[in-house]
Every structure is written in structure tokens, then in C-alpha cells.
Amino acid sequence: MTGTVSARLTDELVGTAVEKAFKAFRRTGDLCRKGLLTGEEFRREMTQAFCGVFMGLFSDNKLELRLTGANFPQFAREYEEYLKGNCADGPDHLPWLFDVQGRPREAQEGDRKRFFGLMETFRLAPEYFEPAPEGMPVPDLVPVHMYSSAAVYGTHFRCVDDGGLLTDADPEGRTYRLKNDLGLEAVLTVREDRRQTDRKGLDFDEIVCRTDKGIIVAKAEFLAEGHIEGYTARERSGDPAVLIRTGDCGKKVSWLAYWESPADRAAREAHPLWREYRRWCIEKETRRKVILDALFDGFRQPESETH
């Protein structure tokens, strides 16, 4: 990494976020001690304040944690070295925190150190962030916007067969079977082919690219309708619209975005390809609960030590 790009986070930003979280922790703990919150309500409020830092702070500043089976052991070792006061980066350093404004690149050292500092402040073990085992099929689900009865999600659809969509000069009204690298099929009927039109504007997947030349906002190349195996119900009860975006200079379908209804969510959660992942998620949430409860429970005690 060169030093030409500034870190996204500053001590002031981090300090403000931490103080806001611990203020919420103290307030929630006080309400719980007074009997105004149930145990479930207490934990929900505490978790929301916690996520404001470990999700909101980083996403708002275009930083993304990307842990895999390959880099997680090194991430854990670097954190141990950080706690000892040693230089975190070793000779086998692999990137794990990314600056995703524009083309993704490894985050600056200052951002990585502040991430470790927040882990120490919130008493998080590396196991809190442990990724799914290598080779386990995992749904690639990117939340875009949440509404009361629906949500917008996107998925990086690593397409290996687009059924002829991108080579068809007149695809409107035609149905295509797109297959990804996991063998999942998206059966989509094209309603609008926008490739030769002015695509300026914001689609419902809210894609905004920040580049060195400024902000670029463009609608998806295709507006379609249909279902995505593993993500939606076959018979869509909600809005059937699906956005199709391409990558690799328009040579490959790379992104699908859709409206998720309760029926879609149920179909996704029941899909057999994610069965092993669902079991692993239950185990992961149990581990996370133990780690967070060690932090949260102190705020329910009358003489709790707070930040």
C-alpha cells in the first residue's frame, strides 16, 4: 500500500461512534435494571447499538471486511500481535479489510489498526468474525434497502451461461435461462434492453460508483422479470422485477438485484443448497452470542464498569 490515499477513519470518527454506542449501552442497561425491558428486548437494543459501529461505521466510510478460510488464520494472528503492541502485518500478510470506494483495494494501515482497536474496545475475539469453511456454498446476498413488507437485495451472479442474452440484439419479451458457477438458474424475461439508451439515473438497487472522476450513476443494462433459483420463489407473489447488470466490459452478467417478498425469503431459507450453511450459521450465532453477552451483561449490573 502506498501512503497516497488517506485512511477512511479518524480517531474523532471512531471516538464519536464508540461514545454513542456506550451511551446507548448504559441507557439500555439502566432500563433493564428498572424492569422496563425484557431480556430479549435488552439484547436487541444492545445489539443494535453494537451494529451501529461494526456495520454502520465501516459501511458508511466505504470499508468492507472480507474474511475467508485463506486469510482468517492470519487475521487472528495479526490481532494477537496488535494486542501485544507489535506490528500487525507479518511477511505472510493477506488483505482482509478493503476500501471499496471505486475499485476495491486494501484499506490503509490506519483503518486496519482502528478496526483492531474497536475489537479490543468491544472485547471481540477473532472467532466473532470467523468465515464459513472453504468450499461451503454460501448465498451471496447483498442488502440494498429494507422496507416494511419487502426488501431489495443484490447478488454477484457469477454467470457461466447467459442463455444467449448478451449476444441477442433484440431480447425484449424473450426469456433466458442464466446459470451461475454454483449451477443455480435465473429464469428471466427481459422487459427493457437499455444498452443503447441513456442509462443515467438511479435504479432500485441504488448502485452508485464513486471514481476518481466523480460519482457515476447508471441504470442496469436490463430490466427483467422472473425468478432466481436459491434466492426467490419460483412463483413470485411480490414485485417480480429483476435488474441485470454486466461486468467485464459488458461481456458477462455479473449482478442481479430483486425485490424480496416474504415468500421469496422462505424459498431462499428452504433451498437445499444452503442447508449446510444454515446449520453453520446457527453455530456461528451461538458463538457470537457468547462473545457479545460477555460485554452486554456487565451493563445490567448495578456497579457495572462502562467505557
Side-chain angles (χ1 to χ4, degrees):
M1 289 290 296
T2 64
T4 58
V5 180
S6 300
R8 294 289 175 193
L9 299 180
T10 64
D11 291 339
E12 182 179 5
L13 275 174
V14 171
T16 298
V18 168
E19 182 54 37
K20 180 180 179 181
F22 276 82
K23 183 177 179 180
F25 289 167
R26 291 190 289 269
R27 181 177 63 251
T28 303
D30 186 50
L31 291 173
C32 188
R33 287 193 301 275
K34 292 177 179 178
L36 299 176
L37 293 176
T38 65
E40 182 178 346
E41 290 169 337
F42 167 80
R43 195 169 193 283
R44 184 172 61 246
E45 293 295 322
M46 296 290 280
T47 301
Q48 182 176 345
F50 166 80
C51 289
V53 175
F54 270 96
M55 290 180 66
L57 180 64
F58 289 93
S59 63
D60 288 349
N61 289 281
K62 309 305 174 187
L63 294 170
E64 185 175 303
L65 182 67
R66 295 182 180 179
L67 289 172
T68 66
N71 66 11
F72 178 74
Q74 167 246 288
F75 165 80
R77 288 195 302 271
E78 287 186 4
Y79 182 56
E80 290 177 5
E81 292 302 311
Y82 168 86
L83 293 178
K84 295 175 183 176
N86 299 331
C87 177
D89 291 1
D92 59 345
H93 173 75
L94 296 172
W96 47 268
L97 187 67
F98 287 81
D99 183 328
V100 295
Q101 182 168 344
R103 179 174 296 179
R105 58 184 181 272
E106 184 178 12
Q108 292 291 308
E109 181 182 5
D111 290 325
R112 287 178 274 138
K113 285 185 175 179
R114 290 184 178 97
F115 187 94
F116 282 153
L118 285 166
M119 285 180 63
E120 183 179 14
T121 296
F122 288 89
R123 291 182 266 168
L124 299 181
E127 288 72 26
Y128 183 86
F129 301 102
E130 187 171 2
E134 288 288 301
M136 178 183 291
V138 175
D140 185 334
L141 201 64
V142 181
V144 176
H145 206 107
M146 307 297 292
Y147 300 92
S148 58
S149 60
V152 175
Y153 284 101
T155 179
H156 297 97
F157 195 82
R158 291 175 287 276
C159 192
V160 297
D161 183 357
D162 67 15
L165 169 64
L166 298 187
T167 57
D168 193 335
D170 186 22
E172 290 188 2
R174 297 178 180 173
T175 300
Y176 301 85
R177 288 183 176 271
L178 286 64
K179 183 177 292 186
N180 73 0
D181 58 343
L182 293 175
L184 298 174
E185 286 190 339
V187 181
L188 304 173
T189 301
V190 175
R191 297 307 181 200
E192 295 180 15
D193 177 4
R194 303 163 171 169
R195 287 175 294 180
Q196 305 303 320
T197 66
D198 182 358
R199 292 166 47 218
K200 290 181 181 178
L202 194 66
D203 254 325
F204 65 77
D205 59 353
E206 301 179 8
I207 295 292
V208 177
C209 297
R210 292 169 172 81
T211 70
D212 294 338
K213 297 181 180 180
I215 295 176
I216 297 176
V217 180
K219 292 185 176 182
E221 285 90 338
F222 303 94
L223 173 64
E225 292 183 359
H227 70 270
I228 308 169
E229 185 183 7
Y231 294 91
T232 74
R234 184 173 294 272
E235 300 297 329
R236 307 288 302 282
S237 60
D239 190 328
V242 177
L243 297 175
I244 306 174
R245 293 184 184 269
T246 66
D248 194 18
C249 298
K251 297 178 183 178
K252 183 179 295 186
V253 171
S254 62
W255 171 265
L256 302 179
Y258 63 97
W259 292 88
E260 182 184 80
S261 69
D264 292 328
R265 177 180 293 270
R268 171 170 56 81
E269 292 178 346
H271 195 277
L273 184 61
W274 316 133
R275 186 175 295 128
E276 184 181 5
Y277 176 70
R278 289 196 300 272
R279 288 196 295 264
W280 178 82
C281 282
I282 293 172
E283 296 171 358
K284 180 187 70 173
E285 286 306 310
T286 299
R287 291 195 303 271
R288 284 186 162 187
K289 183 178 185 301
V290 170
I291 292 170
L292 288 181
D293 282 351
L295 170 68
F296 293 167
D297 286 346
F299 289 87
R300 287 198 277 199
Q301 306 305 317
E303 303 297 329
S304 65
E305 292 290 332
T306 58
H307 179 76

